[in-house]
Amino acid sequence: MNGGPGTSGKLGGGLLVAGTTSDAGKSVVTAGICRWLVRQGVRVAPFKAQNMSLNSFVTREGAEIGRAQAMQAAAARVEPTALMNPVLLKPGGDRTSQVVLLGKPVGELSARGYHAGRQEQLLGTVTDCLAELRRTHDAVICEGAGSPAEINLRRTDIVNMGIARAARLPVVVVGDIDRGGVFASFFGTTALLSKEDQALVAGYLVNKFRGDVTLLEPGLDMLRTLTGRPTLGVLPYRHGLGIDEEDGMGVPPARTKSRAWGRVSPRGDERESVVAPPHGADVLRVAVCAVPLMSNFTDVDALAAEPGVVVRFVDRAEELADADLVVLPGTRGTVRALTWLRERGLADALARRAAEGRPVLGICGGFQILGEHIDDEVESKAGAVAGLGLLPVRVRFAAGKTLARPVGEALGEPVEGYEIHHGVAEVTGGDEEFLDGCRVGSVWGTHWHGSLESDGFRRAFLRRVAADAGRAFVPAPDTRFGTLREEQLDLLGDLVEEHADTAALLRLIEEGVPEGLPFVPPGAP
């Protein structure tokens, strides 16, 4: 590597962060390693060969990638590119997913169809992307997906041991001790891999530990005796990280990601707010409708960062009653979400809110739902469908996807955002324009994701919401969402620097896979 303290000057080093399960903490550990390395003067980039997520981001070159990789790029202080996430799978219901290749959609496939052949064909593409990143950076920290021990999928794997084998990457396995069973998970994950795959597993990282580390040490010693591999760190549990996730809501019991491309309702989940009292006399309550195939719900994280703003996800009409603002978020199934809202009585509750002048914000798919008419022969193939009729907007779904990074102004403040949608909106009226959408009364709609991260605009919008809701809420004048995000990324870097064996991690990145790692029987058949 180049320029970091204690580095040897080699280029192209790499490491794969795998996990014993989904949600073991691979994304945040990868981000933490990236932040720690860049603070050492190392030019580092993140990489995830294949990501399954409804939370995505648009790069400056107009490519769609997973938001987790955009977050990791921010941790590495580099501009995100399509190379960092060459394959993105966006679940669309009925066990199908849109395949996004190098930032552009290339079609819909079932899970069986993808694993039956398409995935193997992409191995060359992902290894080329990784090779390019390794050519232009000192180190590339790769993230796996799910577990590397999913032996039913190993033949077609391109994101765990498949990419590790192809690129000769040392592998560190992360385990979530907060769930329990971490020793069994480490041992079982290793023992289910083939001899060739096991030869790349260089060690383990314990994540989310609460308590006295000395009580854990006898188990770590026994694990090393059983597997011949060291534990490279015990990372403590930390509340309030607020880091962009792949598909999650941050509350594990309510959030299960199905390998059949789906997810369950996150009703009752709350985004963690900063620990600070409201700046004014009142709090502001935000209810987010947890629609099916909800996407880019990270849009509301900037609201949760405001002192005195409480954000919760709901799926019942009565839960809108005390909300000062209701948000209809993005979705990969606009017509399906519209049907869901009607079936649950939420559509009627939204119509009553609009009639009473109580604030509603629709973002992307939520904006489309608030319109008068939807013509969809692309996503749902439902044809002509009536929307909620709360905004003078007609939407037609196009085969091509809009991927953009718009910049503009609203409520007298500069705004930046990003767009990811097939729906083309024709705005035919309204009280005022609003970020290429419109406002009617207290109902607002836009295709722009990420607009609430613009601090001045967010404060101006919340002042309007508070006035319409009759709340004595005052946005804090000094909340800087970008600064808060940087502090969170620095915290991840601190966790790695203070609680991981960074010397051992550097050796793996620089020197590659250690020789002579023992085989743990029985191995994969």
Side-chain angles (χ1 to χ4, degrees):
M1 291 185 293
N2 198 16
T7 64
S8 63
K10 293 180 181 179
L11 294 177
L15 180 74
L16 176 71
V17 178
T20 56
T21 62
S22 293
D23 308 316
K26 298 182 293 292
S27 294
V28 293
V29 168
T30 298
I33 294 174
C34 285
R35 178 49 60 99
W36 160 64
L37 284 172
V38 77
R39 293 194 308 207
Q40 310 305 308
V42 177
R43 297 176 302 169
V44 59
F47 177 79
K48 186 162 185 173
Q50 172 194 296
N51 196 351
M52 180 189 293
S53 180
L54 287 171
N55 282 341
S56 58
F57 182 76
V58 179
T59 67
R60 295 207 179 275
E61 74 265 32
E64 185 180 7
I65 66 172
R67 272 200 71 96
Q69 279 60 67
M71 174 270 292
Q72 291 161 355
R77 295 179 179 147
V78 295
E79 190 67 31
T81 73
L83 293 174
M84 298 173 183
N85 180 205
V87 181
L88 173 64
L89 306 176
K90 303 195 70 175
D94 298 324
R95 300 189 179 185
T96 64
S97 182
Q98 183 179 68
V99 180
V100 179
L101 179 62
L102 293 174
K104 305 296 180 184
V106 294
E108 299 271 343
L109 281 177
S110 68
R112 180 177 295 275
Y114 183 69
H115 288 289
R118 178 61 167 164
Q119 192 173 29
E120 286 181 286
Q121 297 168 11
L122 297 174
L123 181 59
T125 298
V126 301
T127 54
D128 287 348
C129 291
L130 176 57
E132 178 62 16
L133 287 174
R134 295 179 79 174
R135 187 183 68 80
T136 54
H137 294 79
D138 300 338
V140 180
I141 307 303
C142 307
E143 179 189 347
S147 162
E150 292 174 346
I151 55 178
N152 55 314
L153 303 177
R154 177 61 185 92
R155 182 181 62 83
T156 58
D157 170 50
I158 64 172
V159 65
N160 290 306
M161 303 313 298
I163 190 69
R165 286 268 291 273
R168 289 295 300 169
L169 292 171
V171 177
V172 174
V173 181
V174 176
D176 179 359
I177 197 170
D178 199 48
R179 295 182 173 195
V182 74
F183 293 117
S185 297
F186 283 143
F187 182 85
T189 295
T190 307
L192 274 178
L193 300 178
S194 68
K195 182 177 182 180
E196 295 78 9
D197 285 350
Q198 284 192 31
L200 302 177
V201 176
Y204 311 108
L205 267 173
V206 176
N207 193 29
K208 302 182 187 178
F209 180 69
R210 309 173 194 243
D212 184 349
V213 176
T214 61
L215 298 177
L216 200 62
E217 288 172 352
L220 301 179
D221 292 339
M222 285 186 277
L223 181 66
R224 181 160 192 163
T225 300
L226 288 167
T227 66
R229 291 159 174 85
T231 297
L232 302 176
V234 178
L235 307 182
Y237 192 100
R238 286 289 184 269
H239 286 285
L241 289 176
I243 296 298
D244 293 351
E245 300 159 273
E246 287 186 354
D247 250 344
M249 308 302 296
V251 183
R255 172 172 118 12
T256 302
K257 184 164 60 176
S258 165
R259 307 315 293 173
W261 318 81
R263 61 187 305 283
V264 299
S265 167
R267 186 182 67 79
D269 286 357
E270 285 192 9
R271 300 308 269 175
E272 294 189 51
S273 300
V274 295
V275 183
H279 190 72
D282 276 351
V283 299
L284 203 69
R285 297 176 177 85
V286 179
V288 184
C289 294
V291 297
L293 299 173
M294 181 168 50
S295 61
N296 286 66
F297 52 78
T298 47
D299 284 333
V300 300
D301 284 353
L303 296 179
E306 286 284 350
V309 175
V310 179
V311 178
R312 71 182 188 274
F313 290 80
V314 304
D315 64 2
R316 295 174 181 169
E318 58 269 25
E319 293 175 304
L320 304 188
D322 67 344
D324 303 307
L325 170 67
V326 173
V327 176
L328 270 181
T331 171
R332 254 279 284 161
T334 299
V335 171
R336 176 176 169 181
L338 177 59
T339 301
W340 180 88
L341 290 167
R342 286 178 168 140
E343 289 174 347
R344 289 177 170 262
L346 286 157
D348 290 339
L350 289 167
R352 287 193 297 272
R353 286 187 67 89
E356 295 165 359
R358 302 175 66 198
V360 176
L361 170 64
I363 302 173
C364 199
F367 167 45
Q368 297 166 5
I369 287 168
L370 293 174
E372 299 169 343
H373 178 85
I374 298 170
D375 186 3
D376 180 14
E377 297 290 353
V378 175
E379 190 175 77
S380 67
K381 297 180 173 57
V385 178
L388 297 186
L390 304 182
L391 291 175
V393 176
R394 301 179 69 83
V395 175
R396 175 185 56 81
F397 274 68
K401 181 184 283 191
T402 297
L403 297 169
R405 291 277 292 268
V407 176
E409 182 178 301
L411 305 180
E413 298 287 346
V415 190
E416 295 183 10
Y418 57 100
E419 295 184 63
I420 306 170
H421 53 91
H422 284 279
V424 179
E426 178 190 2
V427 179
T428 59
D431 297 337
E432 68 175 304
E433 294 183 1
F434 177 67
L435 302 177
D436 295 335
C438 66
R439 176 188 66 84
V440 172
S442 60
V443 180
W444 311 70
T446 177
H447 270 136
W448 291 25
H449 294 289
S451 63
L452 294 167
E453 296 180 17
S454 298
D455 296 321
F457 164 72
R458 181 181 64 255
R459 286 191 281 270
F461 178 70
L462 289 177
R463 282 192 290 269
R464 290 283 293 269
V465 167
D468 287 347
R471 288 282 186 184
F473 170 84
V474 179
D478 55 354
T479 302
R480 300 284 184 270
F481 184 74
T483 300
L484 292 172
R485 179 54 51 86
E486 274 295 299
E487 291 173 354
Q488 291 164 337
L489 294 173
D490 274 332
L491 175 57
L492 293 181
D494 292 343
L495 290 175
V496 170
E497 186 170 352
E498 296 168 10
H499 300 281
D501 186 343
T502 53
L505 290 175
L506 272 178
R507 283 195 300 272
L508 290 175
I509 293 168
E510 291 186 331
E511 299 172 11
V513 182
E515 296 292 332
L517 291 168
F519 173 68
V520 179

